[in-house]
Amino acid sequence: MTPETPNDDPLLKFIAFTQASKWEFDTYQIADILWLWSQVVNGNSKAAVAGRLLKSYPSKAISPDRKISSKNDPEIVIKRFASTASPFAWELMKKLSAVPINLPIIRLIQQQLLPYSTFVDAVEVILSGLLKTDREMDFHINPNLLEFEFIDGIRDILLKSYLRKTRSIEVIRVLSDYVAKKLGLTTRQFEAQLLTNPTQWKGKPEESLVRPFATIAAEVFGKLGEEYAQLATQIKYSSEQLRQQVIPPKPNFPQDSAWLTFLKKIVRQYKLTAIEIETLITLFPNPQQSLSITDAADRLSCSRSAFSSRLSRIYRKFETLTPNLFSSNNKLKTLHEYLISQYQTSPLPEIPELETLESFEFEAEVATIVEKEKPLQQWTFETPTVNRRGETIKTTPHTASYFTETLTDSVGIEMVAIPGGTFTMGSPENEKGRYDDESPQHQVTVSPFFMGKYPVTQAQWKAIASRTELKVEIDLEPDPSEFKGDNRPVEQVNWYEAVEFCQRLSRLTGRDYRLPSEAEWEYACRGVREPLNLENGESYPPFYFGETISEKLANYDASVYADEPEGEYRGKTTPVGQFPPNAFGLYDLHGNVWEWCADDWHDNYEGAPTDGSAWLDSNEPSNTNQENQSYSDKNDENDSYSVMRGGSWSYGPDFCRSAARYDLNREYRYDAVGFRVVCGFGRNL
């Protein structure tokens, strides 16, 4: 770094900016960063720190009409930032394309949608060169008062090409909640008033909060396709009412389906006839529009007097249930205002609740939990890819969604959303370390489900095993493990005990928890959603990290699989989550402990199901009746062996491959065997 003038160095601006904005961060974290920077600046050849080469900032303010030169095309600039930014900074940049930008909103998006991001990611976005502001960032201005905007063309490209539809709606929902809270309203009330009476905020302090929201929201919804075109028009009209001195003429809104649904509910309440329903819908096609009696009569091709007679009957029916409703002379206006007031307290689908959420960087949707008290949360992470020498050749950022199932006040299970897809199960004949029981390779289509982020830990096991009132079939030992530690995986549990845990968890939560099928396990482990073209010789890598694993990526016996150096054998389990996750956001699928699956053992995949279900004695109905459930120790029809997957701390890398299988008697307990749980979408007991 070569500082030019006092207080103009990028690093000093970085420090001043974060301090002045009162960002909440770990003081030890910033201290470590600055210490590393000091070592680099002082020429310590052994010191290294991640950073970005920044040009010095001009002393004058950045022009608000600044444009990117032709050699720095917006698309190129965005791709350059995406390729060099931290994963959290890139995710934050995309989400900010759907909202007005200032520091309070940046912090809001981080807290609500990127809880593991830090102030460093925010500063990386602010100093990216993709944003502009009408004033200079210096020591003397409160950074919270700065308003940012994207350089010309950037927001459009981010919204069109990088931020998915459901992500856009999700971001707007968060900001809508925030604005409503600031106004002392519920979210529904704010959304209704924004669409029906935006001028109430005109010329007031609240306008500075509402108008930017309306402007950006209209732009965002306008890019989401025909489905949201009407909503975009309505919000844009509200924005124009707030922005202009002269109120613009109302657009000719088409009929609003949500409003019509509301009116149909109202007319049932007031027992209106079909003709009277038609009259109301014609008069009030949406909350913003009220036709005159003459115009409405013309649309229905009836006389004004006939239409007035219909309206008189409607007035009487409303007065029957709502006395003194029409105290003013303008009954038509009163009726419209009354309907709007009722509409504000009704569910508003215009800014939709997220019934589906694109949880990963994939096209397909995955469903959310049915219950409102279990909303999906998100986090962003990185998955390394290694070559045959165990060297990291790339790191790929991913975003996944999850919810936490509460077991006690201090213990929960994080369940990750796994999207549905089709993959090729098994391994090719030329894969090192493979066995014949991994053949034949075959396509399997798996429905979406939730899977435990980690193997079940000892703390989680104890929380359920100690709940004797939840007992279904057998007793559970609360502390069976050889290697003690609340955050270590539970081991020394047999298949029946693992199933009992799932059943107790189901009884506690009302959701259908179970062991994964063998197909679900391999699909989740590989982290892929497309099948192979076997005729063209395509294959998956043996591990989700690539061509091999190492002691830095998994807990196994650390022997050599490919060309990587031999590692250190730990000789015991390690706490879950210690190693990087796969592309779906799951940890410890290679090594640590073997994991029980629901399936009976079969020597190969001849006749295996292709729908992702568990293979229970050829899936014969006689094995799934009440007496012979797969968990029952009375079940004498099935083979007494079940499948385990994933390898363990005491096994070599051959057994830790994604395709590796192993069989074990269901009654056996072993200090290298544990399990993880799954549940289906919306599958409540």
Side-chain angles (χ1 to χ4, degrees), residues 30 64 95 97 114 187 207 236 304 341 348 356 532 651:
I30 186 62
K95 287 175 169 55
S97 67
L114 295 169
T187 303
E207 181 183 352
K236 183 178 180 181
R304 191 178 190 282
S341 69
L348 290 178
T356 57
L532 300 171
Y651 279 69

Side-chain angles (χ1 to χ4, degrees), residues 99-100 105 147 149 175 179 183 190 194 198-199 201-219 235-245:
V99 293
I105 289 178
E147 296 290 335
E149 182 51 82
L175 187 57
V179 174
L183 297 175
F190 165 63
L194 175 64
T199 55
W201 298 302
K202 189 171 180 62
K204 298 180 180 179
E206 293 86 349
E207 181 183 352
S208 62
L209 192 63
V210 176
R211 183 162 56 83
F213 170 83
T215 301
I216 301 300
E219 181 179 351
I235 298 178
K236 183 178 180 181
Y237 175 65
S238 295
S239 174
E240 290 173 348
Q241 287 182 290
L242 286 168
R243 186 172 61 252
Q244 298 181 13
Q245 295 296 324

Side-chain angles (χ1 to χ4, degrees), residues 57 75 126 181 302 315 323 410 497 527 571 586:
Y57 285 81
E75 185 70 55
I126 292 167
K181 186 176 180 180
C302 67
Y315 292 153
S410 58
E497 291 164 337
L586 302 172

